[in-house]
Amino acid sequence: MDVSHDDGLSPGEPLRLQLLSDGLLDMAEAQRVSHAHTHRLRDANVELPPSCTRGQLSMEPEAVDGDAYDEARATMLAVEKGLAFDSRCRTRATALEAKANSILRALRKRDEVDIYGAAEYRLGHDGQTHRRFAGDRFLSNLDLIQETALFRVARHLPKGAHLHIHYNACLPAAVLLDLAKTMDRMFVTSDLPLVSSDGYANFDKCEIQFSLLSPDKERPGNVFSAEYEPRRTMALADFLRLFPDHYRRATADQWLAAKLVFHEDETYNALQTAEGAWVKFDGRTRMMKGLFNYETAFRTYTRRFLEDLARDGISYAEIRPNFMASNQLYRDDGSGPMDNRAMMQLVVDEASDFRRRSSLAGRFFGGIKVIYCTPRVFSPEQIADALDECLEFKKLWPEWIAGKLAAAPSCFDMVGQESKGKPLKAFAKELLAFKKRCATSGVDIPFLFHCGETLEVGTDTDENLVDALLLGSKRIGHGFALGRHPLLMQRIKAWGICLELCPISNEVLGLTARVGGHAMYALLANNVHCTVNSDNGTLFRSTLSHDFYQIMVGSADMDLFGWKQLALWSMDHACLGDAEKTAVLADWQERWEAFLRWMMGEYGDAVGYQAPL
């Protein structure tokens, strides 16, 4: 429940409802709160049974006789719906929103029949066949998702703020591969020779990496030779020219693009584990790094990323570059490296230019801000150095490190596989000292920690959620494990902490088999504030529109009002100053109204759709 709004109850009532949901009130108090909520629901025009009385809501189960059962059941469902995370948006819906929601529900039904129902059944174990359905495994459904009306609507949806983006993996793989082909000093290396005598096995198993190198750093080798030594360098131009002579199943472009992304068979293999998925993930991240870390690629990538935000209906974004020595940029001739400050300056320059061009064209651009990230595998000493640099950057670019100097928060995070890195408590000394230095400097730099991205229970990794709260994390990246911690969930709601949901990422990396089993639905049911994010969209072959689509099809009771509430929370919990937030919200409201009108114009005839018998 959004405790910041007037719910028609006494000032302490939202907290009492929260405690009730956590089982911390006795039955008498529960009945009193239930009565108050009934009146609130009536005032908000939530439909209740005509004979719904105070007594029915407080009835003991054994007191419900056969005649009263149906009404008691309807009452309970209506009250529960009134407690839903999207109830505020639903009860205050305009007539246009109500019509658009009817369209959305009709399109879901139509897609189920026309797209999924018409698709060929899939062959499973021992000859068993399986129908296609929305909400099945994302990579298995990707071909059908692109054809649905609901996904087209998701692409047009004004999504508010995008708050969890790893900056080296948020555009299609072809963008960086095409750029790499234009660079004279781009080289390819492999950990295995690419020979066809083994039936292409090494082509499947190898890990390819890219490097922009100056002449003195070359270590020439031919990856297509059986005598090739791992990580010898081969000019990309030579690799592309010779590739067709050694591999017949795909073109070089197709093969390289396929090496960068997750595929259905490896992701959903019966023996695959979350740890195994992370091994694949880390290999692909290393492949991306060499395509990303030179000046032309970084500048071009930043421009195209900003353009992509506008195409995907995103008003504002917070990006997570990884600041570390091995991630530093090189000049186009392979010289360098350019340090983290130079990389930060490139982001500022390109985003400033995009804002100027947007303004000249009469388009609103809410901007981007940078969350300083560094690996969680670092030592405490390295983390201390990174914190020092984060504070330095905040003073140099107060508008760009996710906030304004002494006015809005800037942010710090640690990234990488949670169970392989050190737990947050290992850095508590450095993080607490950093908070004191920030206070002394008159700068507010809260933390936005990745944590709870795990299936572990009772381990140091699982306990990262505890440390994130105690260290004052403003938001939590993923938070998948939060449902196993009732006290922490209560505190997160009371302290206004928001989760950055990444549903497709969590599925591909082995935390849930399908979106319907994702922890987010239980978290939302408990009124935990959440946002929707794509995490590493390049690797998962997804955009933010895909994540919004998946959230919709994973739950039968998710609809337009759920989408709206998630978008509103994203802006509410963004690292924006008051004036910035006002501007972003005003622009979003205009986009929202235009989106509703677009839906009416495009799909108004879908209302009342009936599936054929």
Side-chain angles (χ1 to χ4, degrees):
M1 173 170 293
D2 185 348
V3 298
S4 64
H5 298 298
D6 176 17
D7 290 309
L9 305 177
S10 65
E13 208 70 65
L15 179 58
R16 303 178 80 83
L17 287 166
Q18 178 179 302
L19 295 173
L20 170 62
S21 70
D22 292 330
L24 301 178
L25 297 182
D26 61 21
M27 180 56 70
E29 184 68 4
Q31 291 175 357
R32 194 196 66 75
V33 170
S34 179
H35 302 331
H37 233 341
T38 305
H39 292 299
R40 181 175 79 93
L41 292 167
R42 282 174 171 156
D43 293 342
N45 296 318
V46 174
E47 185 176 350
L48 291 175
S51 58
C52 173
T53 66
R54 294 170 60 98
Q56 283 181 311
L57 279 177
S58 59
M59 232 179 236
E60 295 292 341
E62 61 271 17
V64 179
D65 60 24
D67 293 336
Y69 183 86
D70 288 342
E71 289 188 1
R73 183 179 185 277
T75 299
M76 186 171 290
L77 288 173
V79 172
E80 185 171 68
K81 191 169 186 177
L83 290 166
F85 82 99
D86 59 357
S87 63
R88 181 176 173 81
C89 291
R90 188 179 305 281
T91 57
R92 299 190 176 193
T94 65
L96 184 57
E97 286 176 332
K99 291 177 183 177
N101 190 49
S102 296
I103 291 172
L104 199 68
R105 288 188 172 278
L107 292 178
R108 288 183 68 170
K109 293 179 182 178
R110 197 165 78 181
D111 286 343
E112 279 285 0
V113 175
D114 294 352
I115 304 299
Y116 293 98
E120 184 177 352
Y121 277 41
R122 306 196 70 180
L123 184 64
H125 173 69
D126 200 26
Q128 186 179 24
T129 57
H130 303 274
R131 67 177 180 86
R132 306 293 294 275
F133 63 95
D136 199 0
R137 292 164 169 169
F138 172 70
L139 295 177
S140 303
N141 266 2
L142 191 52
D143 59 330
L144 297 182
I145 290 171
Q146 307 292 121
E147 300 177 24
T148 64
L150 182 60
F151 179 64
R152 184 166 181 251
V153 173
R155 290 180 62 190
H156 282 79
L157 174 73
K159 301 172 180 66
H162 195 175
L163 304 181
H164 192 116
I165 316 168
H166 291 281
Y167 197 49
N168 63 340
C170 51
L171 289 178
V175 171
L176 291 178
L177 287 170
D178 288 346
L179 277 173
K181 290 188 289 185
T182 70
M183 306 304 297
D184 294 336
R185 302 302 308 168
M186 182 61 72
F187 291 82
V188 171
T189 73
S190 174
D191 58 341
L192 296 170
L194 302 185
V195 294
S196 56
S197 59
D198 58 358
Y200 296 134
N202 279 6
F203 283 83
D204 296 333
K205 293 187 295 183
C206 73
E207 182 182 311
I208 295 294
Q209 293 181 13
F210 294 86
S211 301
L212 197 77
L213 301 173
S214 55
D216 59 301
K217 294 180 180 177
E218 291 185 48
R219 296 177 60 242
N222 179 1
V223 298
F224 299 112
S225 168
E227 286 74 42
Y228 174 76
E229 297 178 15
R231 298 303 167 206
R232 288 281 179 178
T233 59
M234 183 178 190
L236 177 58
D238 292 337
F239 175 88
L240 296 174
R241 177 174 53 83
L242 295 175
F243 187 87
D245 297 334
H246 300 275
Y247 194 81
R248 305 285 183 173
R249 295 177 178 173
T251 67
D253 287 353
Q254 291 168 338
W255 184 79
L256 288 170
K259 295 293 286 186
L260 274 169
V261 299
F262 278 85
H263 299 274
E264 178 185 11
D265 54 348
E266 65 174 358
T267 303
Y268 307 122
N269 186 287
L271 298 179
Q272 183 61 287
T273 62
E275 184 172 352
W278 268 96
V279 170
K280 292 286 189 180
F281 178 91
D282 288 338
R284 289 177 173 125
T285 299
R286 288 188 288 269
M287 187 175 175
M288 285 291 298
K289 182 169 67 175
L291 291 169
F292 186 74
N293 67 343
Y294 61 96
E295 187 172 0
T296 288
F298 198 88
R299 283 190 182 278
T300 304
Y301 193 87
T302 300
R303 287 195 293 270
R304 295 195 184 180
F305 165 72
L306 294 169
E307 293 164 359
D308 193 60
L309 290 180
R311 277 194 300 270
D312 210 18
I314 299 164
S315 303
Y316 162 84
E318 294 175 9
I319 61 173
R320 281 173 159 95
N322 206 353
F323 291 100
M324 54 189 290
S326 62
N327 264 23
Q328 291 176 338
L329 298 180
Y330 289 81
R331 300 178 185 88
D332 290 352
D333 62 2
S335 64
M338 305 160 67
D339 61 12
N340 288 338
R341 182 181 296 195
M343 181 168 71
M344 184 68 207
Q345 187 64 56
L346 287 178
V347 174
V348 171
D349 290 345
E350 291 299 329
S352 297
D353 182 64
F354 187 82
R355 172 182 282 174
R356 178 186 60 81
R357 289 187 284 113
S358 297
S359 179
L360 289 173
R363 296 190 304 266
F364 177 83
F365 172 53
I368 62 171
K369 293 181 181 177
V370 175
I371 299 167
Y372 188 106
C373 292
T374 203
R376 65 193 325 137
V377 295
F378 272 9
S379 67
E381 293 75 21
Q382 289 174 302
I383 293 295
D385 291 341
L387 289 164
D388 287 342
E389 186 172 68
C390 178
L391 181 55
E392 175 191 348
F393 285 6
K394 175 63 174 178
K395 293 176 179 179
L396 284 171
W397 297 286
E399 292 188 27
W400 293 98
I401 306 291
K404 290 187 176 180
L405 190 62
S410 125
C411 309
F412 179 86
D413 190 13
M414 288 178 284
V415 297
Q417 186 178 1
E418 196 171 357
S419 61
K420 295 298 183 184
K422 296 179 179 63
L424 283 177
K425 66 181 181 181
F427 308 113
K429 176 183 175 182
E430 290 73 22
L431 294 168
L432 291 170
F434 174 71
K435 293 183 72 168
K436 290 183 179 179
R437 288 201 307 279
C438 289
T440 301
S441 302
V443 177
D444 183 19
I445 306 182
F447 304 126
L448 301 180
F449 289 129
H450 275 68
C451 57
E453 189 184 6
T454 183
L455 294 175
E456 295 181 18
V457 180
T459 65
D460 285 346
T461 303
D462 186 38
E463 290 175 1
N464 279 336
L465 284 166
V466 175
D467 297 288
L469 265 64
L470 293 177
L471 290 165
S473 194
K474 174 183 170 67
R475 299 196 307 261
I476 287 176
H478 297 283
F480 188 91
L482 181 62
R484 300 193 292 265
H485 298 276
L487 177 62
L488 301 186
M489 187 186 297
Q490 176 193 343
R491 294 293 184 266
I492 279 176
K493 292 191 292 184
W495 296 344
I497 299 170
C498 181
L499 301 189
E500 302 162 354
L501 300 176
C502 303
I504 292 173
S505 172
N506 296 156
E507 179 188 316
V508 174
L509 293 180
L511 297 186
T512 184
R514 291 176 176 82
V515 67
H518 197 285
M520 63 187 168
Y521 296 114
L523 297 169
L524 289 170
N526 281 278
N527 284 286
V528 176
H529 285 206
C530 297
T531 67
V532 186
N533 309 274
S534 64
D535 205 13
N536 300 79
T538 301
L539 310 186
F540 309 137
R541 296 189 276 162
S542 65
T543 64
L544 186 57
S545 292
H546 288 99
D547 282 279
F548 268 93
Y549 176 91
Q550 287 294 97
I551 280 182
M552 179 67 72
V553 298
S555 174
D557 62 357
M558 182 70 70
D559 58 18
L560 184 72
F561 304 112
W563 270 357
K564 181 180 182 180
Q565 183 61 78
L566 290 164
L568 289 172
W569 277 340
S570 74
M571 294 175 284
D572 191 38
H573 291 278
C575 295
L576 291 166
D578 291 342
E580 294 172 308
K581 186 176 295 185
T582 297
V584 169
L585 278 167
D587 175 73
W588 180 86
Q589 188 62 49
E590 290 183 11
R591 294 188 188 203
W592 178 253
E593 293 297 324
F595 164 69
L596 298 176
R597 292 192 297 272
W598 172 83
M599 280 187 66
M600 292 296 298
E602 289 289 311
Y603 296 111
D605 61 348
V607 178
Y609 170 79
Q610 296 292 326
L613 298 176

